[in-house]
Amino acid sequence: LQVIFEADADNATDWKWDFDNKQTSSLQNPTQTFRKHGLYKVSLTARNFAGCSALVNQDVNLKFNPLAPEIFSPNGDGKNDTWMPVAFLNGDYIFTLTVSDKSGNVVFKSSDKDNVWDGNNAKPGDTFRWTAVVKEKNGDEITCQGLITIAK
């Protein structure tokens, strides 16, 4: 996960970044790569030519976003007829995706980005809950969930 940081400090000549992952930088606008999702307490100390300094702390919360559409229309018109989180379609993820109806019955399950949900037996206005368990390259698992509504 790559993040670009920017220091907008007037008259600063020296920067000291601490990214809360045992990494630091003395660049004004560094790029930092984080190996896993989570909450990082990033701090920046900026000094000017006279030796005066200012400290800024900022929480950076890196979450996995599967880019899951909240609505689709499986009506056979060739537009939005199937559903799959965009990150899974375009990425190289190991995942298990489950879609359940309001009673908790599983109506679709997939671990293959080419096996998309076609909304079989769904009616316009129906809402479903989806849950995805994603395995990261370091072995950690992330669980994401949301709702999908069927449109006309």
Side-chain angles (χ1 to χ4, degrees):
L1 306 168
Q2 197 170 58
V3 179
I4 299 169
F5 291 89
E6 295 181 0
D8 186 19
D10 292 338
N11 301 319
T13 57
D14 183 51
W15 299 269
K16 172 75 176 183
W17 292 89
D18 183 335
F19 300 108
D20 191 28
N21 64 352
K22 299 181 182 176
Q23 300 291 313
T24 61
S25 176
S26 59
L27 297 174
Q28 180 179 0
N29 301 314
T31 298
Q32 176 61 34
T33 301
F34 294 89
R35 298 199 185 279
K36 57 192 293 187
H37 297 92
L39 180 65
Y40 296 88
K41 297 183 179 296
V42 176
S43 65
L44 167 64
T45 302
R47 278 188 221 294
N48 66 14
F49 65 93
C52 296
S53 64
L55 173 66
V56 176
N57 294 303
Q58 180 70 49
D59 288 345
V60 176
N61 194 357
L62 301 176
K63 294 181 179 180
F64 176 74
N65 182 351
L67 304 171
E70 296 177 350
I71 193 166
F72 83 114
S73 57
N75 57 13
D77 69 356
K79 298 177 186 173
N80 301 315
D81 285 334
T82 60
W83 184 89
M84 175 66 70
V86 175
F88 300 159
L89 289 171
N90 297 331
D92 186 23
Y93 293 98
I94 297 171
F95 67 91
T96 300
L97 175 66
T98 306
V99 178
S100 304
D101 64 18
K102 62 183 174 186
S103 299
N105 300 312
V106 174
V107 297
F108 175 76
K109 189 169 186 173
S110 178
S111 294
D112 178 357
K113 68 181 181 179
D114 295 323
N115 180 23
V116 297
W117 186 37
D118 64 3
N120 188 25
N121 297 322
K123 298 180 195 86
D126 287 351
T127 299
F128 298 85
R129 175 169 298 283
W130 65 268
T131 302
V133 178
V134 182
K135 187 170 233 171
E136 294 192 292
K137 293 181 195 255
N138 65 6
D140 290 349
E141 288 187 349
I142 300 169
T143 300
C144 309
Q145 58 185 2
L147 300 175
I148 318 159
T149 300
I150 305 299
K152 291 182 181 182

